[in-house]
Amino acid sequence: MRTYEVRTYGCQMNVHDSERLRGLLEDAGYVRAPEGDQADVVVFNTCAVRENADNKLYGNLGHLAPVKAKKPGMQIAVGGCLAQKDKASITKKAPWVDVVFGTHNIGSLPVLLERARIQEESQVEILESLDVFPSTLPTRRESPYSAWVSVSVGCNNTCTFCIVPALRGREKDRRPGDVLAEVEALVAEGVLEVTLLGQNVNSYGVEFGDRYAFSKLLRACGTIDGLERVRFTSPHPRDFTADVIEAMAETPNVMPSLHMPLQSGSDQILKTMRRSYRRDRYLRIIEDVRAAMPDAAITTDIIVGFPGETEEDFQGTLDVVRQARFAGAFTFQYSKRPGTPAESMEDQVPREVVQERYERLVALQDDMAWDENKKIVGQSVEVLIAEGEGRKDAATHRLSGRARDNRLVHFALPEGVEKPRPGDLATVEITYAAPHHLVADAFGSVRRTRAGDAWERAQDAPASAAAPGVMLGMPVIGKPAPLEPAAAGGCQVN
Ligand code: SF4
């Protein structure tokens, strides 16, 4: 059996697509390469938004060239946003690459690998639009208890710092029945938490003419037995409507957390970014969310040093951070993104100025988050125990997971208590707050769940030779990325 490895760069969309790539490859008879072994097929799922993404890709491809020369039959494939952008120039610069495929045709990977092998020449296939929604592809899911579910792909907005619309195309919405069928299938497999995923979930329904489609979807998720936690990402302030806030507040399994990108607190910069909302609207949404859900934890994305940003504009961002009291923020220093309108804008802010503003922003945001976290001390919270989440504290045997509001919690397990599994739920009392996490040294109880059973089954009977996971015919992706400041590995979407 031929082995494979998928290397993923970038945002949740890529994480999502990599789950599908693994599913496709396993469906075609490949098995995941054991840790430390050189795979027969290496797939790069690339990101085009990071600075120097292309240099890094060609560096990695360069490292693999001599490996491939010594390993007959080895193949290298490059997909994702950078492949969609650079197309055939990848095989010109790195002729040892066997397959190049784009964001619209990930389903072609096994066929392209086969064709490259038989014809002994590189295959480049890039489509300009999506033929079928990728959710019909088989998927190798990493987490048996927490899953992503796509509601849409692509985006109709034109934010000037973002390459997504150019590479992922216009928004395509899945039908609500398909989304719900997938969620139900996941819950039947043991999944306890889903995160609905789209570039702009608030415009969900635009394609089939229902502007209330997203709130209806949230309410429909509320009727699924066994689905304990529903989250979504990312919302867009322009399209955020009151019916969504009402649905969040009135649907018990929709979690009291909201990740809503701000990007800037200056109306002038928002305009240059083509963000089509202004700071007052953003703050009003936060007020409305807090009025409906006083305990909601609100997190955000912020870009510092966008072209033309003055000290006054930056003060506007600091001011919104103070007013919004974010529980966490992904903070980014602006850097030119190839292919975006902002790349050629005048008034690029000098690096050292961006760095200095960034440090001030992070310091303020940390203070605000710390203050917000201190309010939780003494409260009892329910934690979904996660695998590989946060730090490992062997000395105190601390476990980690996410509270209902998505805060990261580390908690100690008293001696004699049976160790819970990832996917189980623990109730603990918060005893200490840090800016980016909470600690609970007062243990309450553990509820063993079907999700924990599913995790145990996945360990006992791995579907792949090398790694546990869950294979479903429906598309699902791995566990949601932790929402911790400065931890974002992905693109600045929304
Ligand atoms: S930042 Fe988000 S809303 Fe703006 S164009 Fe990119 S994907 Fe669309």
Side-chain angles (χ1 to χ4, degrees):
M1 278 191 290
R2 284 170 68 71
T3 58
Y4 77 86
E5 177 196 356
V6 179
R7 298 188 193 176
T8 310
Y9 302 84
C11 66
Q12 298 99 323
M13 293 291 163
N14 270 20
V15 175
H16 187 156
D17 283 347
S18 286
E19 297 282 343
R20 290 167 178 151
L21 293 170
R22 292 191 185 100
L24 281 159
L25 290 170
E26 291 184 17
D27 217 32
Y30 295 82
V31 294
R32 191 186 287 199
E35 193 84 30
D37 280 16
Q38 178 56 58
D40 298 312
V41 171
V42 178
V43 183
F44 289 87
N45 191 7
T46 62
C47 164
V49 304
R50 305 312 298 269
E51 205 179 11
N52 296 327
D54 45 355
N55 289 346
K56 284 178 195 148
L57 172 68
Y58 292 111
N60 285 325
L61 291 175
H63 284 135
L64 274 188
V67 178
K68 185 180 174 190
K70 285 196 216 131
K71 187 172 167 67
M74 181 176 164
Q75 289 183 297
I76 300 170
V78 180
C81 290
L82 200 59
Q84 186 77 24
K85 185 164 95 45
D86 286 0
K87 304 184 174 73
S89 67
I90 291 178
T91 46
K92 288 202 184 88
K93 289 185 193 160
W96 57 94
V97 168
D98 298 274
V99 169
V100 177
F101 62 103
T103 52
H104 298 304
N105 63 324
I106 60 174
S108 309
L109 176 64
V111 170
L112 294 171
L113 285 168
E114 194 60 21
R115 210 186 287 156
R117 195 160 46 226
I118 292 166
Q119 296 180 4
E120 295 184 351
E121 64 178 15
S122 303
Q123 303 292 316
V124 178
E125 187 183 283
I126 304 284
L127 303 186
E128 289 311 320
S129 62
L130 203 61
D131 276 348
V132 277
F133 202 95
S135 295
T136 50
L137 301 173
T139 300
R140 155 73 55 199
R141 213 156 45 81
E142 292 298 297
S143 163
Y145 51 87
S146 181
W148 299 99
V149 175
S150 275
V151 302
S152 62
V153 291
C155 181
N156 294 348
N157 291 322
T158 54
C159 304
T160 50
F161 55 79
C162 183
I163 191 77
V164 167
L167 301 178
R168 298 259 174 192
R170 290 183 65 76
E171 177 173 329
K172 291 242 179 261
D173 294 331
R174 278 177 91 188
R175 290 296 180 269
D178 293 345
V179 175
L180 291 169
E182 179 180 343
V183 175
E184 279 164 4
L186 287 165
V187 173
E189 294 283 333
V191 164
L192 174 155
E193 175 179 72
V194 297
T195 301
L196 304 174
L197 182 67
Q199 225 81 53
N200 173 4
V201 291
N202 294 102
S203 60
Y204 174 68
V206 68
E207 231 200 342
F208 51 87
D210 183 354
R211 58 190 292 263
Y212 300 113
F214 191 63
S215 60
K216 289 180 193 166
L217 193 63
L218 289 178
R219 288 183 191 275
C221 284
T223 65
I224 297 174
D225 266 355
L227 178 59
E228 302 206 22
R229 292 181 171 205
V230 178
R231 303 186 188 281
F232 57 86
T233 194
S234 287
H236 193 297
R238 185 191 71 172
D239 301 306
F240 212 112
T241 43
D243 57 300
V244 171
I245 298 174
E246 282 158 22
M248 288 173 73
E250 291 165 15
T251 312
N253 66 356
V254 175
M255 293 297 96
S257 70
L258 175 68
H259 181 78
M260 185 166 69
L262 166 66
Q263 307 304 14
S264 171
S266 152
D267 283 354
Q268 180 52 45
I269 295 298
L270 287 171
K271 199 168 160 206
T272 325
M273 287 175 165
R274 244 187 258 147
R275 288 292 289 175
S276 61
Y277 56 86
R278 299 296 172 254
R279 55 176 273 150
D280 284 355
R281 170 164 173 78
Y282 186 93
L283 286 168
R284 211 163 40 243
I285 296 170
I286 288 195
E287 235 173 69
D288 292 347
V289 168
R290 290 225 163 95
M293 288 167 283
D295 296 333
I298 300 173
T299 53
T300 196
D301 298 336
I302 300 172
I303 300 173
V304 183
F306 191 76
E309 185 190 79
T310 61
E311 177 60 27
E312 195 185 340
D313 293 320
F314 177 63
Q315 287 297 334
T317 299
L318 296 182
D319 187 47
V320 174
V321 168
R322 278 185 209 100
Q323 291 192 52
R325 307 194 321 272
F326 296 118
F330 293 128
T331 47
F332 301 90
Q333 296 187 31
Y334 176 78
S335 59
K336 287 185 181 182
R337 306 290 155 117
T340 60
E343 185 192 12
S344 54
M345 281 180 182
E346 291 176 357
D347 297 334
Q348 300 280 334
V349 182
R351 276 264 166 208
E352 58 284 3
V353 176
V354 178
Q355 176 70 33
E356 191 271 333
R357 286 180 191 163
Y358 176 80
E359 286 166 14
R360 273 190 282 158
L361 172 66
V362 170
L364 173 65
Q365 172 51 38
D366 280 359
D367 281 353
M368 303 300 300
W370 200 358
D371 284 348
E372 288 301 295
N373 280 355
K374 283 178 196 160
K375 294 178 188 166
I376 318 287
V377 173
Q379 289 183 24
S380 184
V381 301
E382 180 199 72
V383 180
L384 171 57
I385 297 164
E387 214 175 358
E389 178 87 271
R391 70 186 171 166
K392 299 212 170 18
D393 196 335
T396 56
H397 303 288
R398 279 197 175 118
L399 298 172
S400 300
R402 294 275 159 181
R404 288 169 64 82
D405 63 9
N406 215 24
R407 283 183 162 95
L408 177 62
V409 180
H410 303 294
F411 67 95
L413 201 61
E415 293 231 345
V417 174
E418 189 185 355
K419 192 173 175 191
R421 307 151 303 176
D424 286 337
L425 291 162
T427 302
V428 296
E429 189 187 313
I430 301 302
T431 49
Y432 171 78
H436 302 159
H437 67 266
L438 300 167
V439 174
D441 283 332
F443 181 77
S445 60
V446 163
R447 175 153 65 90
R448 290 171 78 84
T449 64
R450 289 174 61 246
D453 297 344
W455 180 86
E456 211 161 78
R457 278 198 306 276
Q459 309 307 300
D460 291 346
S464 147
V470 177
M471 185 77 167
L472 289 180
M474 305 284 278
V476 189
I477 63 172
K479 64 183 177 223
L483 291 178
E484 285 184 304
C491 54
Q492 298 166 5
V493 293
N494 283 337

